[in-house]
Amino acid sequence: MLLKEKESHQSPAASLDAPPLSDAARPETIAIIGAMDVEIEKLLPDIQNRQEVTLRGHIYHTGTLCGQNVVVTRSGVGKVNAAVTTTELIKEFHVDSLIFTGIAGGVSPQVSPSDVVISTALVQHDVDLTTFGLQPGLLNGFSDRHFYADQRLINIAVLAAHEVVGEDNVHLGIIATGDQFMADRQGVRNVYEEYQAMAVEMEGAAVAQVAFLYNKPLVVIRTISDKADGTAHLDYHQMKASTAHNSSGITLKMLAMMKD
Ligand code: ADE
């Protein structure tokens, strides 16, 4: 992957008159991102000491959830919105780790609506520099088209998902991201064959690319709302709320587990 520049790191507790806490001394702050209101609405009422900060039109909700310091935000749909909010979460709110919670279209024949996919890695299926000899999905400057999720967060997400939906309905695998709602059987087949993706959505790999550049751990939790085929838009509308709330429930369980 890309050679990383040395970064300066400022503690979230840093102020002009107090010495900054070392990373080890301050409690972990966890970012929770959903693309749409429905993907975060289940979390907001439970945030203790909730405060809202608006930056460049995005609202960030800070406080504690299940005893963990959190910043919850709705990124908006698509890769640019996701990248901007992730950057703000890291640079302005100094989050230590990132959880993306939401819904996705099913790509692998193994996954069905209401199943949960936990990311092992994220890839951008709409990146195409093949004219210049690069592999589909590979950006120049990088040696791998995948942005990998963090093993500790994956393990906790899997345990939490097992508790919420049962082991048989939880899949671990690659999630493909692109700036399009996929509703085309052949397109989905292509994404499966090229990337062996389990699911397709519109933000995960953008968050993962920023997380990689800032060396922050990340996991993406997606509940399948549709099969990204000819009836995807109908299934999506019918399933959106229940599947989005399912992923939020897993996120809440994760936070509780991280506190223990
Ligand atoms: N999110 C939920 N379903 C999706 C689909 N079919 N394509 C892209 N993003 C999605």
Side-chain angles (χ1 to χ4, degrees):
M1 292 240 215
L2 189 72
L3 286 178
K4 285 192 237 170
E5 289 168 28
K6 252 196 144 102
E7 291 163 17
S8 66
H9 183 81
Q10 191 193 1
S11 160
S15 74
L16 289 176
D17 46 6
L21 287 174
S22 72
D23 278 358
R26 67 183 171 78
E28 184 178 10
T29 299
I30 304 166
I32 303 170
I33 314 168
M36 302 179 289
D37 281 332
V38 71
E39 291 171 318
I40 59 163
E41 68 191 7
K42 206 178 150 179
L43 305 173
L44 299 183
D46 290 343
I47 300 177
Q48 309 279 303
N49 305 318
R50 175 148 70 105
Q51 299 201 331
E52 289 184 11
V53 180
T54 304
L55 286 181
R56 283 159 277 277
H58 288 108
I59 303 170
Y60 297 83
H61 308 266
T62 65
T64 59
L65 196 51
C66 305
Q68 293 281 357
N69 289 342
V70 293
V71 185
V72 181
T73 195
R74 180 196 66 179
S75 62
V77 171
K79 295 196 315 184
V80 173
N81 276 326
V84 167
T85 45
T86 304
T87 306
E88 302 280 23
L89 284 162
I90 295 170
K91 299 278 288 180
E92 301 291 337
F93 296 91
H94 307 284
V95 300
D96 301 291
S97 52
L98 299 128
I99 300 172
F100 196 103
T101 173
I103 65 179
V107 172
S108 160
Q110 288 175 47
V111 304
S112 306
S114 298
D115 282 358
V116 173
V117 177
I118 309 289
S119 64
T120 51
L122 290 300
V123 66
Q124 296 177 58
H125 69 80
D126 59 353
V127 166
D128 184 353
L129 293 171
T130 53
T131 308
F132 301 102
L134 271 68
Q135 192 188 24
L138 181 61
L139 286 162
N140 60 324
F142 292 82
S143 61
D144 192 333
R145 62 185 180 176
H146 299 107
F147 294 100
Y148 295 94
D150 175 72
Q151 196 58 52
R152 167 180 165 256
L153 293 178
I154 293 172
N155 292 345
I156 302 168
V158 167
L159 282 178
H162 284 177
E163 282 201 16
V164 174
V165 294
E167 289 191 23
D168 292 348
N169 303 313
V170 180
H171 309 267
L172 204 52
I174 293 168
I175 296 178
T177 303
D179 271 330
Q180 56 202 245
F181 183 85
M182 290 204 72
D184 157 35
R185 199 181 290 270
Q186 188 55 49
V188 173
R189 208 171 284 148
N190 294 344
V191 168
Y192 183 61
E193 280 167 16
E194 178 58 45
Y195 300 103
Q196 292 79 52
M198 289 269 174
V200 68
E201 38 83 309
M202 301 180 66
E203 296 83 21
V207 176
Q209 183 176 341
V210 175
F212 167 75
L213 292 170
Y214 285 97
N215 199 22
K216 299 292 176 194
L218 152 105
V219 72
V220 177
I221 302 163
R222 294 281 188 176
T223 304
I224 302 299
S225 56
D226 61 88
K227 290 288 284 177
D229 56 10
T231 62
H233 60 298
L234 301 173
D235 304 331
Y236 168 86
H237 281 303
Q238 208 192 328
M239 298 289 285
K240 178 167 82 166
S242 61
T243 49
H245 294 171
N246 189 63
S247 293
S248 318
I250 294 168
T251 302
L252 284 173
K253 188 128 281 185
M254 267 189 87
L255 294 177
M257 286 175 165
M258 288 164 91
K259 190 71 195 156
D260 295 341

